[in-house]
mmCIF file of all heavy atoms in Angstrom:
data_model
loop_
_atom_site.group_PDB
_atom_site.id
_atom_site.type_symbol
_atom_site.label_atom_id
_atom_site.label_comp_id
_atom_site.label_asym_id
_atom_site.label_seq_id
_atom_site.Cartn_x
_atom_site.Cartn_y
_atom_site.Cartn_z
ATOM 1 N N ILE A 24 -9.261 10.309 19.101
ATOM 2 C CA ILE A 24 -9.091 11.562 19.906
ATOM 3 C C ILE A 24 -10.473 12.231 20.077
ATOM 4 O O ILE A 24 -10.796 12.672 21.237
ATOM 5 C CB ILE A 24 -8.064 12.558 19.277
ATOM 6 C CG1 ILE A 24 -6.676 12.053 19.455
ATOM 7 C CG2 ILE A 24 -8.199 13.994 19.935
ATOM 8 C CD1 ILE A 24 -5.644 12.748 18.549
ATOM 9 N N GLY A 25 -11.308 12.222 19.073
ATOM 10 C CA GLY A 25 -12.588 12.879 19.143
ATOM 11 C C GLY A 25 -13.506 12.091 20.203
ATOM 12 O O GLY A 25 -14.225 12.777 21.089
ATOM 13 N N ILE A 26 -13.454 10.757 20.287
ATOM 14 C CA ILE A 26 -14.214 9.998 21.226
ATOM 15 C C ILE A 26 -13.699 10.176 22.556
ATOM 16 O O ILE A 26 -14.446 10.456 23.490
ATOM 17 C CB ILE A 26 -14.101 8.467 20.868
ATOM 18 C CG1 ILE A 26 -14.983 8.194 19.541
ATOM 19 C CG2 ILE A 26 -14.634 7.638 21.918
ATOM 20 C CD1 ILE A 26 -14.708 6.840 18.901
ATOM 21 N N LEU A 27 -12.395 10.265 22.748
ATOM 22 C CA LEU A 27 -11.815 10.448 24.154
ATOM 23 C C LEU A 27 -12.170 11.904 24.532
ATOM 24 O O LEU A 27 -12.558 12.142 25.748
ATOM 25 C CB LEU A 27 -10.331 10.263 24.075
ATOM 26 C CG LEU A 27 -9.840 8.830 23.982
ATOM 27 C CD1 LEU A 27 -8.297 8.831 23.833
ATOM 28 C CD2 LEU A 27 -10.220 8.038 25.150
ATOM 29 N N TRP A 28 -12.235 12.857 23.681
ATOM 30 C CA TRP A 28 -12.522 14.207 24.061
ATOM 31 C C TRP A 28 -14.039 14.296 24.586
ATOM 32 O O TRP A 28 -14.253 14.954 25.449
ATOM 33 C CB TRP A 28 -12.271 15.232 22.813
ATOM 34 C CG TRP A 28 -12.414 16.609 23.062
ATOM 35 C CD1 TRP A 28 -13.476 17.359 23.371
ATOM 36 C CD2 TRP A 28 -11.250 17.433 23.398
ATOM 37 N NE1 TRP A 28 -13.088 18.776 23.602
ATOM 38 C CE2 TRP A 28 -11.776 18.802 23.645
ATOM 39 C CE3 TRP A 28 -9.893 17.320 23.328
ATOM 40 C CZ2 TRP A 28 -10.999 19.851 23.955
ATOM 41 C CZ3 TRP A 28 -9.047 18.240 23.676
ATOM 42 C CH2 TRP A 28 -9.618 19.632 23.841
ATOM 43 N N GLN A 29 -14.889 13.533 23.855
ATOM 44 C CA GLN A 29 -16.324 13.556 24.131
ATOM 45 C C GLN A 29 -16.510 13.040 25.616
ATOM 46 O O GLN A 29 -17.255 13.423 26.485
ATOM 47 C CB GLN A 29 -17.233 12.980 23.212
ATOM 48 C CG GLN A 29 -17.365 13.808 21.872
ATOM 49 C CD GLN A 29 -18.215 14.942 22.236
ATOM 50 O OE1 GLN A 29 -19.130 14.975 22.970
ATOM 51 N NE2 GLN A 29 -17.844 15.973 21.342
ATOM 52 N N VAL A 30 -15.950 11.812 25.687
ATOM 53 C CA VAL A 30 -15.971 11.043 27.031
ATOM 54 C C VAL A 30 -15.307 11.798 28.189
ATOM 55 O O VAL A 30 -15.725 11.779 29.224
ATOM 56 C CB VAL A 30 -15.520 9.613 26.844
ATOM 57 C CG1 VAL A 30 -15.539 8.961 28.112
ATOM 58 C CG2 VAL A 30 -16.425 8.922 25.839
ATOM 59 N N GLY A 31 -14.092 12.128 27.856
ATOM 60 C CA GLY A 31 -13.252 12.787 28.856
ATOM 61 C C GLY A 31 -13.716 14.139 29.353
ATOM 62 O O GLY A 31 -13.303 14.677 30.318
ATOM 63 N N GLY A 32 -14.418 14.810 28.463
ATOM 64 C CA GLY A 32 -14.904 16.235 28.620
ATOM 65 C C GLY A 32 -15.805 16.254 29.901
ATOM 66 O O GLY A 32 -15.941 17.294 30.453
ATOM 67 N N ARG A 33 -16.359 15.198 30.258
ATOM 68 C CA ARG A 33 -17.254 15.161 31.491
ATOM 69 C C ARG A 33 -16.395 15.093 32.704
ATOM 70 O O ARG A 33 -16.879 15.550 33.749
ATOM 71 C CB ARG A 33 -18.071 13.959 31.359
ATOM 72 C CG ARG A 33 -19.103 13.897 30.286
ATOM 73 C CD ARG A 33 -20.085 12.755 30.277
ATOM 74 N NE ARG A 33 -20.783 12.669 29.093
ATOM 75 C CZ ARG A 33 -21.099 11.634 28.406
ATOM 76 N NH1 ARG A 33 -20.560 10.419 28.670
ATOM 77 N NH2 ARG A 33 -21.855 11.656 27.303
ATOM 78 N N PHE A 34 -15.231 14.649 32.623
ATOM 79 C CA PHE A 34 -14.370 14.412 33.835
ATOM 80 C C PHE A 34 -13.171 15.530 33.803
ATOM 81 O O PHE A 34 -12.861 15.838 34.919
ATOM 82 C CB PHE A 34 -13.814 12.976 33.854
ATOM 83 C CG PHE A 34 -14.854 11.962 33.734
ATOM 84 C CD1 PHE A 34 -14.868 11.253 32.775
ATOM 85 C CD2 PHE A 34 -15.855 11.868 34.785
ATOM 86 C CE1 PHE A 34 -16.008 10.168 32.506
ATOM 87 C CE2 PHE A 34 -16.778 10.761 34.667
ATOM 88 C CZ PHE A 34 -16.823 10.006 33.507
ATOM 89 N N LEU A 35 -12.822 15.787 32.670
ATOM 90 C CA LEU A 35 -11.622 16.821 32.607
ATOM 91 C C LEU A 35 -12.230 18.216 32.124
ATOM 92 O O LEU A 35 -12.792 18.257 31.120
ATOM 93 C CB LEU A 35 -10.505 16.387 31.592
ATOM 94 C CG LEU A 35 -9.837 15.123 32.051
ATOM 95 C CD1 LEU A 35 -9.011 14.683 30.874
ATOM 96 C CD2 LEU A 35 -8.991 15.366 33.240
ATOM 97 N N PRO A 36 -11.909 19.292 32.945
ATOM 98 C CA PRO A 36 -12.568 20.626 32.499
ATOM 99 C C PRO A 36 -11.801 21.210 31.451
ATOM 100 O O PRO A 36 -11.602 22.499 31.577
ATOM 101 C CB PRO A 36 -12.673 21.340 33.810
ATOM 102 C CG PRO A 36 -11.354 20.869 34.550
ATOM 103 C CD PRO A 36 -11.239 19.373 34.092
ATOM 104 N N LEU A 37 -11.140 20.722 30.430
ATOM 105 C CA LEU A 37 -10.450 21.314 29.435
ATOM 106 C C LEU A 37 -11.299 22.304 28.707
ATOM 107 O O LEU A 37 -12.430 22.103 28.331
ATOM 108 C CB LEU A 37 -9.829 20.312 28.324
ATOM 109 C CG LEU A 37 -8.751 19.427 28.854
ATOM 110 C CD1 LEU A 37 -8.427 18.369 27.867
ATOM 111 C CD2 LEU A 37 -7.434 20.256 29.461
ATOM 112 N N GLY A 38 -10.744 23.510 28.635
ATOM 113 C CA GLY A 38 -11.530 24.673 28.125
ATOM 114 C C GLY A 38 -12.257 25.518 29.185
ATOM 115 O O GLY A 38 -12.736 26.530 28.834
ATOM 116 N N ARG A 39 -12.220 24.987 30.410
ATOM 117 C CA ARG A 39 -12.769 25.801 31.379
ATOM 118 C C ARG A 39 -11.868 25.797 32.780
ATOM 119 O O ARG A 39 -12.300 25.868 33.795
ATOM 120 C CB ARG A 39 -14.084 25.132 31.791
ATOM 121 C CG ARG A 39 -15.194 25.113 30.779
ATOM 122 C CD ARG A 39 -16.389 24.470 31.248
ATOM 123 N NE ARG A 39 -16.298 23.099 31.745
ATOM 124 C CZ ARG A 39 -16.184 22.087 31.002
ATOM 125 N NH1 ARG A 39 -16.335 22.122 29.675
ATOM 126 N NH2 ARG A 39 -16.134 20.951 31.581
ATOM 127 N N LEU A 40 -10.519 25.773 32.392
ATOM 128 C CA LEU A 40 -9.576 25.894 33.358
ATOM 129 C C LEU A 40 -9.455 27.341 33.996
ATOM 130 O O LEU A 40 -9.637 28.295 33.220
ATOM 131 C CB LEU A 40 -8.193 25.254 33.041
ATOM 132 C CG LEU A 40 -8.304 23.860 32.577
ATOM 133 C CD1 LEU A 40 -6.792 23.484 31.880
ATOM 134 C CD2 LEU A 40 -8.461 23.065 33.733
ATOM 135 N N PRO A 41 -8.984 27.365 35.216
ATOM 136 C CA PRO A 41 -8.601 28.771 35.697
ATOM 137 C C PRO A 41 -7.433 29.221 34.977
ATOM 138 O O PRO A 41 -6.499 28.652 34.629
ATOM 139 C CB PRO A 41 -8.207 28.479 37.280
ATOM 140 C CG PRO A 41 -8.706 27.074 37.613
ATOM 141 C CD PRO A 41 -8.734 26.394 36.324
ATOM 142 N N GLY A 42 -7.572 30.517 34.479
ATOM 143 C CA GLY A 42 -6.561 31.214 33.699
ATOM 144 C C GLY A 42 -7.051 31.239 32.242
ATOM 145 O O GLY A 42 -6.367 32.103 31.533
ATOM 146 N N ASP A 43 -8.036 30.641 31.899
ATOM 147 C CA ASP A 43 -8.668 30.801 30.449
ATOM 148 C C ASP A 43 -9.452 32.142 30.525
ATOM 149 O O ASP A 43 -10.032 32.546 31.398
ATOM 150 C CB ASP A 43 -9.555 29.630 30.188
ATOM 151 C CG ASP A 43 -8.897 28.302 29.939
ATOM 152 O OD1 ASP A 43 -7.699 28.405 29.838
ATOM 153 O OD2 ASP A 43 -9.610 27.442 29.964
ATOM 154 N N ILE A 44 -9.122 32.828 29.417
ATOM 155 C CA ILE A 44 -9.811 34.307 29.333
ATOM 156 C C ILE A 44 -11.118 34.150 28.757
ATOM 157 O O ILE A 44 -11.299 33.692 27.668
ATOM 158 C CB ILE A 44 -8.792 35.103 28.585
ATOM 159 C CG1 ILE A 44 -7.454 35.203 29.122
ATOM 160 C CG2 ILE A 44 -9.464 36.522 28.329
ATOM 161 C CD1 ILE A 44 -6.450 35.893 28.273
ATOM 162 N N VAL A 45 -12.151 34.802 29.371
ATOM 163 C CA VAL A 45 -13.489 34.856 28.947
ATOM 164 C C VAL A 45 -13.972 36.320 29.141
ATOM 165 O O VAL A 45 -13.942 36.765 30.195
ATOM 166 C CB VAL A 45 -14.390 33.831 29.686
ATOM 167 C CG1 VAL A 45 -15.819 34.056 29.091
ATOM 168 C CG2 VAL A 45 -14.095 32.549 29.433
ATOM 169 N N VAL A 46 -14.349 36.964 28.060
ATOM 170 C CA VAL A 46 -14.774 38.375 28.247
ATOM 171 C C VAL A 46 -16.155 38.464 27.620
ATOM 172 O O VAL A 46 -16.437 38.101 26.402
ATOM 173 C CB VAL A 46 -13.857 39.402 27.451
ATOM 174 C CG1 VAL A 46 -14.426 40.674 27.611
ATOM 175 C CG2 VAL A 46 -12.417 39.363 28.051
ATOM 176 N N GLU A 47 -17.174 38.688 28.414
ATOM 177 C CA GLU A 47 -18.539 38.835 27.950
ATOM 178 C C GLU A 47 -19.098 40.126 28.022
ATOM 179 O O GLU A 47 -19.079 40.858 29.048
ATOM 180 C CB GLU A 47 -19.437 37.867 28.841
ATOM 181 C CG GLU A 47 -19.109 36.318 28.653
ATOM 182 C CD GLU A 47 -19.999 35.587 29.606
ATOM 183 O OE1 GLU A 47 -21.201 35.971 29.747
ATOM 184 O OE2 GLU A 47 -19.564 34.530 30.045
ATOM 185 N N LYS A 48 -19.567 40.613 26.920
ATOM 186 C CA LYS A 48 -20.212 41.943 26.725
ATOM 187 C C LYS A 48 -21.692 41.667 26.440
ATOM 188 O O LYS A 48 -22.122 40.548 26.407
ATOM 189 C CB LYS A 48 -19.517 42.758 25.688
ATOM 190 C CG LYS A 48 -18.103 43.077 26.001
ATOM 191 C CD LYS A 48 -17.886 44.221 26.985
ATOM 192 C CE LYS A 48 -16.342 44.458 27.159
ATOM 193 N NZ LYS A 48 -16.239 45.626 28.082
ATOM 194 N N GLU A 49 -22.389 42.741 25.947
ATOM 195 C CA GLU A 49 -23.855 42.632 25.688
ATOM 196 C C GLU A 49 -23.980 41.614 24.588
ATOM 197 O O GLU A 49 -24.802 40.703 24.799
ATOM 198 C CB GLU A 49 -24.433 43.903 25.284
ATOM 199 C CG GLU A 49 -24.348 44.906 26.562
ATOM 200 C CD GLU A 49 -24.886 46.322 26.024
ATOM 201 O OE1 GLU A 49 -25.234 46.411 24.767
ATOM 202 O OE2 GLU A 49 -24.671 47.242 26.712
ATOM 203 N N ASN A 50 -23.409 41.839 23.472
ATOM 204 C CA ASN A 50 -23.678 40.821 22.280
ATOM 205 C C ASN A 50 -22.458 40.066 21.873
ATOM 206 O O ASN A 50 -22.553 39.435 20.873
ATOM 207 C CB ASN A 50 -24.154 41.819 21.115
ATOM 208 C CG ASN A 50 -25.394 42.391 21.386
ATOM 209 O OD1 ASN A 50 -26.321 41.897 22.168
ATOM 210 N ND2 ASN A 50 -25.749 43.588 20.707
ATOM 211 N N VAL A 51 -21.353 40.121 22.544
ATOM 212 C CA VAL A 51 -20.232 39.576 22.183
ATOM 213 C C VAL A 51 -19.656 38.777 23.378
ATOM 214 O O VAL A 51 -19.520 39.187 24.520
ATOM 215 C CB VAL A 51 -19.169 40.749 21.808
ATOM 216 C CG1 VAL A 51 -17.744 40.024 21.322
ATOM 217 C CG2 VAL A 51 -19.600 41.449 20.688
ATOM 218 N N LYS A 52 -18.989 37.526 23.027
ATOM 219 C CA LYS A 52 -18.440 36.745 23.980
ATOM 220 C C LYS A 52 -17.102 36.272 23.366
ATOM 221 O O LYS A 52 -17.011 35.721 22.395
ATOM 222 C CB LYS A 52 -19.267 35.457 24.299
ATOM 223 C CG LYS A 52 -18.585 34.587 25.408
ATOM 224 C CD LYS A 52 -19.485 33.468 25.776
ATOM 225 C CE LYS A 52 -18.845 32.685 26.819
ATOM 226 N NZ LYS A 52 -19.782 31.583 27.340
ATOM 227 N N PHE A 53 -15.997 36.822 23.972
ATOM 228 C CA PHE A 53 -14.669 36.493 23.555
ATOM 229 C C PHE A 53 -14.130 35.454 24.465
ATOM 230 O O PHE A 53 -14.058 35.586 25.670
ATOM 231 C CB PHE A 53 -13.738 37.727 23.551
ATOM 232 C CG PHE A 53 -12.306 37.427 23.268
ATOM 233 C CD1 PHE A 53 -11.910 37.186 21.904
ATOM 234 C CD2 PHE A 53 -11.316 37.395 24.179
ATOM 235 C CE1 PHE A 53 -10.625 37.021 21.673
ATOM 236 C CE2 PHE A 53 -9.982 37.128 23.853
ATOM 237 C CZ PHE A 53 -9.659 36.934 22.411
ATOM 238 N N TYR A 54 -13.513 34.286 23.767
ATOM 239 C CA TYR A 54 -13.074 33.259 24.628
ATOM 240 C C TYR A 54 -11.693 32.903 24.123
ATOM 241 O O TYR A 54 -11.541 32.477 22.958
ATOM 242 C CB TYR A 54 -14.017 32.131 24.652
ATOM 243 C CG TYR A 54 -13.427 30.890 25.389
ATOM 244 C CD1 TYR A 54 -13.623 30.822 26.829
ATOM 245 C CD2 TYR A 54 -13.017 29.756 24.648
ATOM 246 C CE1 TYR A 54 -13.176 29.667 27.462
ATOM 247 C CE2 TYR A 54 -12.683 28.684 25.365
ATOM 248 C CZ TYR A 54 -12.660 28.558 26.776
ATOM 249 O OH TYR A 54 -12.247 27.472 27.440
ATOM 250 N N PHE A 55 -10.588 32.794 25.084
ATOM 251 C CA PHE A 55 -9.294 32.369 24.727
ATOM 252 C C PHE A 55 -8.807 31.513 25.772
ATOM 253 O O PHE A 55 -8.414 31.950 26.855
ATOM 254 C CB PHE A 55 -8.350 33.588 24.422
ATOM 255 C CG PHE A 55 -7.058 33.220 23.919
ATOM 256 C CD1 PHE A 55 -6.886 32.685 22.651
ATOM 257 C CD2 PHE A 55 -5.901 33.216 24.584
ATOM 258 C CE1 PHE A 55 -5.718 32.346 22.040
ATOM 259 C CE2 PHE A 55 -4.659 32.885 24.062
ATOM 260 C CZ PHE A 55 -4.614 32.406 22.914
ATOM 261 N N PRO A 56 -8.602 30.172 25.404
ATOM 262 C CA PRO A 56 -8.210 29.236 26.496
ATOM 263 C C PRO A 56 -6.621 29.049 26.668
ATOM 264 O O PRO A 56 -6.123 28.254 26.148
ATOM 265 C CB PRO A 56 -8.819 27.861 25.976
ATOM 266 C CG PRO A 56 -8.839 27.978 24.501
ATOM 267 C CD PRO A 56 -9.137 29.594 24.251
ATOM 268 N N VAL A 57 -6.127 30.081 27.278
ATOM 269 C CA VAL A 57 -4.617 30.102 27.424
ATOM 270 C C VAL A 57 -4.143 28.915 28.204
ATOM 271 O O VAL A 57 -3.309 28.215 27.672
ATOM 272 C CB VAL A 57 -4.273 31.451 28.178
ATOM 273 C CG1 VAL A 57 -2.817 31.367 28.376
ATOM 274 C CG2 VAL A 57 -4.698 32.677 27.400
ATOM 275 N N VAL A 58 -4.647 28.620 29.366
ATOM 276 C CA VAL A 58 -4.174 27.608 30.160
ATOM 277 C C VAL A 58 -4.395 26.234 29.551
ATOM 278 O O VAL A 58 -3.565 25.340 29.572
ATOM 279 C CB VAL A 58 -4.781 27.683 31.608
ATOM 280 C CG1 VAL A 58 -4.289 26.515 32.365
ATOM 281 C CG2 VAL A 58 -4.307 28.973 32.180
ATOM 282 N N THR A 59 -5.517 26.039 28.951
ATOM 283 C CA THR A 59 -5.813 24.817 28.195
ATOM 284 C C THR A 59 -4.856 24.500 27.151
ATOM 285 O O THR A 59 -4.401 23.364 26.926
ATOM 286 C CB THR A 59 -7.326 24.777 27.737
ATOM 287 O OG1 THR A 59 -8.206 25.057 28.685
ATOM 288 C CG2 THR A 59 -7.672 23.601 26.969
ATOM 289 N N CYS A 60 -4.474 25.626 26.286
ATOM 290 C CA CYS A 60 -3.520 25.349 25.338
ATOM 291 C C CYS A 60 -2.174 25.008 25.884
ATOM 292 O O CYS A 60 -1.460 24.129 25.312
ATOM 293 C CB CYS A 60 -3.352 26.700 24.522
ATOM 294 S SG CYS A 60 -4.748 27.169 23.532
ATOM 295 N N ILE A 61 -1.757 25.665 27.022
ATOM 296 C CA ILE A 61 -0.481 25.228 27.637
ATOM 297 C C ILE A 61 -0.450 23.811 28.113
ATOM 298 O O ILE A 61 0.460 22.999 27.882
ATOM 299 C CB ILE A 61 -0.104 26.241 28.800
ATOM 300 C CG1 ILE A 61 0.084 27.599 28.253
ATOM 301 C CG2 ILE A 61 1.098 25.746 29.596
ATOM 302 C CD1 ILE A 61 0.191 28.706 29.340
ATOM 303 N N VAL A 62 -1.740 23.367 28.668
ATOM 304 C CA VAL A 62 -1.764 21.938 29.177
ATOM 305 C C VAL A 62 -1.618 21.071 28.065
ATOM 306 O O VAL A 62 -0.891 19.989 28.052
ATOM 307 C CB VAL A 62 -2.913 21.772 30.034
ATOM 308 C CG1 VAL A 62 -3.366 20.442 30.283
ATOM 309 C CG2 VAL A 62 -2.900 22.591 31.392
ATOM 310 N N ILE A 63 -2.407 21.253 27.010
ATOM 311 C CA ILE A 63 -2.292 20.317 25.861
ATOM 312 C C ILE A 63 -0.982 20.373 25.126
ATOM 313 O O ILE A 63 -0.505 19.293 24.790
ATOM 314 C CB ILE A 63 -3.385 20.804 24.764
ATOM 315 C CG1 ILE A 63 -4.766 20.497 25.355
ATOM 316 C CG2 ILE A 63 -3.263 20.132 23.449
ATOM 317 C CD1 ILE A 63 -6.008 21.124 24.588
ATOM 318 N N SER A 64 -0.253 21.490 25.031
ATOM 319 C CA SER A 64 1.071 21.525 24.581
ATOM 320 C C SER A 64 2.116 20.678 25.358
ATOM 321 O O SER A 64 2.819 19.988 24.812
ATOM 322 C CB SER A 64 1.537 22.881 24.405
ATOM 323 O OG SER A 64 2.798 23.027 24.056
ATOM 324 N N ILE A 65 1.945 20.817 26.736
ATOM 325 C CA ILE A 65 2.775 19.996 27.530
ATOM 326 C C ILE A 65 2.597 18.474 27.325
ATOM 327 O O ILE A 65 3.551 17.709 27.235
ATOM 328 C CB ILE A 65 2.642 20.476 29.008
ATOM 329 C CG1 ILE A 65 3.262 21.848 29.269
ATOM 330 C CG2 ILE A 65 3.373 19.428 29.948
ATOM 331 C CD1 ILE A 65 2.919 22.490 30.568
ATOM 332 N N VAL A 66 1.291 18.172 27.298
ATOM 333 C CA VAL A 66 0.934 16.620 27.188
ATOM 334 C C VAL A 66 1.434 16.185 25.891
ATOM 335 O O VAL A 66 2.073 15.021 25.851
ATOM 336 C CB VAL A 66 -0.531 16.458 27.386
ATOM 337 C CG1 VAL A 66 -0.936 15.046 26.955
ATOM 338 C CG2 VAL A 66 -0.911 16.788 28.822
ATOM 339 N N LEU A 67 1.144 16.923 24.774
ATOM 340 C CA LEU A 67 1.682 16.468 23.533
ATOM 341 C C LEU A 67 3.224 16.501 23.345
ATOM 342 O O LEU A 67 3.797 15.459 22.781
ATOM 343 C CB LEU A 67 1.085 17.305 22.265
ATOM 344 C CG LEU A 67 -0.470 17.191 22.012
ATOM 345 C CD1 LEU A 67 -0.833 18.252 21.127
ATOM 346 C CD2 LEU A 67 -0.779 15.828 21.557
#
Side-chain angles (χ1 to χ4, degrees):
I24 290 170
I26 291 171
L27 290 175
W28 193 277
Q29 287 294 326
V30 173
R33 296 182 185 136
F34 307 110
L35 297 172
L37 288 178
R39 298 178 306 274
L40 294 174
D43 290 345
I44 298 172
V45 178
V46 178
E47 294 184 30
K48 299 286 184 175
E49 295 174 6
N50 296 333
V51 178
K52 183 175 182 179
F53 176 75
Y54 179 74
F55 186 69
V57 176
V58 177
T59 301
C60 290
I61 292 171
V62 168
I63 291 173
S64 175
I65 290 170
V66 169
L67 289 176

